Every structure is written in C-alpha cells, then in structure tokens.
C-alpha cells in the first residue's frame, strides 16, 4: 500500500453500514468529511472502542515510538499482517490498540516495467461501492491536553494476489462489518484478532480499480476529480 486513501462521505454513512444499532460516543453527523487525498502525517478519524462504546477520534497517521526515533527510524504508516502480532514495534498496539479506519477506497501507483520512474496512479474500491473498514492498530491518549509525540496509528496490510498484484504487491486489510466490530472489541483476544486478520479479510476479488489523474501525487490537491477515471493512462 503506497499510502493514500479517501474518507469523503459523512460519518453517518460509514456508521450506518458498520453497526446502526451500536452505541457511539459523540455526535454522528451527515456532513461530508470531504477528504479525497488522505496522506501520512495528517490526523485522520479512526474508530476505537473504550468502555464498551465506540469512539471516533482524530489520530496521526504514522507511528514512531521513542526508541525508534532515537535510532532515527522514520515513522511507520503500515504494519504487515505477517508480523503485526510479534514485532517489537507493533505487538503492544496489536494487543491493546486495535482500531478501524473508515475509507471509500485507496490509491496505488503502478510502475512502468521499462522505467520505474514512470508511475500511473490507480484508485481501488469495493465492487459494491460500499464503505471500507481498514484494520488498524494505534497508540493514543484521547484525554491528553497535549498530544504525545509517539501517538499515532498504522494500517495493517496483506499480500496482494489475483488481479491486485498487477497494481501493487501489498493491500490494506479490509474487514466486513461483523469482523470489523469483533476486531475492534476489547474482549476479543489477540489470538482471535490475528485469526480475523489472517483468515477473514475481504479477498482481492471483491475490489476493482481504474487509473486516475497524477494530481493525486500532491497532497495540496483534494478535490473529487482525483477519483475520476482518466482515459489515457500512462501504464
């Protein structure tokens, strides 16, 4: 996953699909979020569960614990499902900070086999155009007056196969609503959460894609035209 996605529908659009009968803390409005080019290093609305209630909180996309910062390792934006439950960096977040990222689709850049410097962006989304729920892990302090430097979240990714491999070799882990709620639940054991991540994510065959304008490469651009198909892809 290259590191861009969209979150442009109203909060209610995602919540109504995820679980219309669950109790959510805070207001769920019908105002479009309007983000067509969500980039790492920005604060993003993520779903998390605390005290049997589901919250929406803005959290920085990217995670860099103190020890990683001291060793000059850059912030991570993704975690591989193959190691998310065992790695030094991500295991604490996997066990105690599972979250969901609401999305409509994500972007990938396909490289020209003859010249890797030439890349064509694509927008990927569910065939049904339904909301997506990316599995994520996080560490943050919602009640802190000042946001700690090491607060943040990462999106869990899996290997691509079927047609998706032609676009990129990794993909975000997308969960169906029932699995997404179980992933989020504080009572779900790490063992069960890993099983959900490894065995129950949406298969690549459920997604489709089309080429889009290269303007998506600049975070200064954030209009709905970014997800429109183009008729003359470079690759």
């Amino acid at each position: 996953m290259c590191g861009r996605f969209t979150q442009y529908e109203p909060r209610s659009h995602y919540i109504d699909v995820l679980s219309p009968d669950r109790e959510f803390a805070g207001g769920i409005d019908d105002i479009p979020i309007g983000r067509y080019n969500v980039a790492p290093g920005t604060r993003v609305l993520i779903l998390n569960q605390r005290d049997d209630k589901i919250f929406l909180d803005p959290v920085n996309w990217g995670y860099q614990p103190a020890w990683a910062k001291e060793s000059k390792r850059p912030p991570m934006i993704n975690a591989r499902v193959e190691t998310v439950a065992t790695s030094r960096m991500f295991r604490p977040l996997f066990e105690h900070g599972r979250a969901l990222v609401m999305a409509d689709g994500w972007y990938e850049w396909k490289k020209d086999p003859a010249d890797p410097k030439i890349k064509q962006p694509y927008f990927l989304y569910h065939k049904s155009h339904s909301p997506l729920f990316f599995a994520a892990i996080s560490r943050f302090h919602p009640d802190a007056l000042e946001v700690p430097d090491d607060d943040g979240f990462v999106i869990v990714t899996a290997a691509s196969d079927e047609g998706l491999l032609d676009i990129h070799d990794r993909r975000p882990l997308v969960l169906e609503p029932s699995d997404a709620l179980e992933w989020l639940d504080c009572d779900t054991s790490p063992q069960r959460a890993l099983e959900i991540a490894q065995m129950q994510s949406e298969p690549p065959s459920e997604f489709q894609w089309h080429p889009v304008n290269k303007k998506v490469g600049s975070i200064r651009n954030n209009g709905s035209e970014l997800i429109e198909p183009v008729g003359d892809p470079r690759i």
Side-chain angles (χ1 to χ4, degrees), residues 140-184:
F140 71 103
H141 300 79
D143 298 323
L145 296 178
E146 294 186 10
V147 178
D149 290 340
D150 58 351
D151 273 14
F153 78 89
V154 298
I155 293 170
V156 182
T157 68
S160 293
D161 52 21
E162 301 176 31
L164 277 178
L165 187 59
D166 295 335
I167 304 297
H168 200 273
D169 63 348
R170 304 293 297 181
R171 61 183 172 89
L173 205 66
V174 179
L175 301 178
E176 293 184 352
S178 59
D179 294 325
L181 288 172
E182 190 175 1
W183 165 271
L184 204 62

Side-chain angles (χ1 to χ4, degrees), residues 158-217:
S160 293
D161 52 21
E162 301 176 31
L164 277 178
L165 187 59
D166 295 335
I167 304 297
H168 200 273
D169 63 348
R170 304 293 297 181
R171 61 183 172 89
L173 205 66
V174 179
L175 301 178
E176 293 184 352
S178 59
D179 294 325
L181 288 172
E182 190 175 1
W183 165 271
L184 204 62
D185 197 322
C186 301
D187 292 331
T188 299
S189 70
Q191 294 77 16
R192 173 57 184 156
L194 185 60
E195 182 180 295
I196 292 171
Q198 292 178 333
M199 306 297 294
Q200 295 176 218
S201 66
E202 293 260 28
S205 59
E206 290 299 311
F207 301 95
Q208 61 188 39
W209 52 90
H210 59 250
V212 294
N213 195 289
K214 65 180 181 180
K215 291 196 300 182
V216 71

